Amino acid sequence: MRITKRAAAISPSLTLEITAKAKKLKQQGVSVVSFGAGEPDFNTPAPIMEAAKHAMDAGYTKYTPASGSEELKKAVCDKLLKENGLSYEPSQIIVSCGAKHSLYNAMQALIEEGDEVILPSPFWLTYPELVRLCGGEVVYVETKAENAFKMTAKDFEKAITSHTKALILNSPNNPTGAVYTKEELFAIAEVAVKHGIFVISDEIYEKLVYEGTQHVSIATHSEAMKDLTVVINGMSKAFAMTGWRIGYLAAPKDVAKAISGIQSHETSNPCSIAQAASVVALTEDDGSLATMQQAFAERRKFAVARIQEMQNVTCVVPEGAFYIMVNVSACYGKKFGETEITGSVSFASALLNRGVAVIPGAAFGADDYVRLSYAISKEEIAEGLNRLESFIQEVINNG
């Protein structure tokens, strides 16, 4: 074999694949509403871009320390203390080339060949691939729509074996929009501490919560839990900085030291200019964040209400992030033209012929669903959901 087994075992991102198909159709002049990739449609706030321009003019274009600039690491520490109640030293912060990179670094430092990593399902499609790249094995814990797609402490403990090394916890969640309460998180923390299980806590959507819902980091449970937690975050979602590729993690000292060494050989430092801009994002507030949050809240409310008006579909109301999981299984076993719809992949493929791009739930371990992102304009949401409803009626009627 010309390539390694671990490389051959990795599946490419279905999210990016669907999004690429939608973009190609648009380039061909086809009208497509894309509910695909999780990317804010806002531009990066002006003060952040001005900070990047200033950094370039000032010659801030050289290497920084591999683990990130001291200024940005201090800004992250201040942010974590002020907003999350978590105290870290700069040496415990690693700035990376996006939160996805931070996740991979954390797993490289923690996961050995044969280690088991518990993952609630539905899950973000990248998590299992990263675990496999590190030689680990994924243990899925199925969650239920009636419990808002949240894993209970009892579910967690039942999945633990002598090979369990870590739990990946994502709240607010992609793809479900679920947000764990403090009580739910602390119950899970009790189990993690009891069994000495690390928690890789992906909190990238923390600022996108709605209707009084509060984000809580599981690391705030206790010093014992904090010593077992790697907190993952980044600039992409909250600050509309997806292309800037700055993520960061906070970890126990020994874990952070190991990750720093790994990253020094992987990439050297993240982009110096993007780091300078991120300092401003974390320390200066021009109101842009609140504006974006309000827009997402309004879009969420509009999209959920519209979906609930439809026949033959259901959804769980998301409490955070900017996604809705829509159950479209009523269409399975029916036909679109001559094509039988057998699951979420064939559903999404057929729907694209009606000018709507969605992500199949099969990519997230939930084949009865498709994921819709409402990180697009309300006008696009309205048009896309109208097309979705017409498509579903057509399929059901053709039964």
Side-chain angles (χ1 to χ4, degrees), residues 203-273:
E203 304 177 17
I204 188 71
Y205 293 99
E206 66 163 337
K207 293 189 182 296
L208 299 176
V209 290
Y210 311 106
E211 295 185 359
T213 300
Q214 297 294 316
H215 166 74
V216 177
S217 176
I218 194 171
T220 61
H221 170 267
S222 61
E223 282 300 315
M225 186 68 253
K226 184 182 170 189
D227 191 53
L228 288 169
T229 304
V230 179
V231 176
I232 306 289
N233 212 320
M235 312 307 294
S236 292
K237 310 301 182 179
F239 299 97
M241 294 176 67
T242 51
W244 297 71
R245 306 317 302 142
I246 295 292
Y248 59 84
L249 62 80
K253 291 181 179 180
D254 58 334
V255 177
K257 182 178 179 180
I259 292 172
S260 180
I262 291 169
Q263 183 162 294
S264 71
H265 294 291
E266 282 180 334
T267 63
S268 296
N269 60 275
C271 172
S272 60
I273 300 158

Side-chain angles (χ1 to χ4, degrees), residues 30-93:
V30 178
S31 173
V32 178
V33 176
S34 180
F35 291 107
E39 181 174 42
D41 58 325
F42 300 97
N43 200 4
T44 304
I48 299 173
M49 292 194 287
E50 287 301 320
K53 295 172 186 176
H54 176 74
M56 288 187 283
D57 290 340
Y60 195 70
T61 56
K62 310 297 183 183
Y63 290 126
T64 73
S67 59
S69 71
E70 194 70 11
E71 186 180 15
L72 179 52
K73 290 164 76 170
K74 287 179 179 177
V76 170
C77 286
D78 290 343
K79 179 265 178 219
L80 289 170
L81 182 60
K82 179 181 177 181
E83 298 182 5
N84 305 102
L86 293 169
S87 178
Y88 289 97
E89 299 174 7
S91 62
Q92 295 177 269
I93 308 300

Side-chain angles (χ1 to χ4, degrees), residues 344-356:
S344 61
V345 174
S346 54
F347 179 95
S349 179
L351 180 60
L352 197 54
N353 290 302
R354 287 290 182 264
V356 181

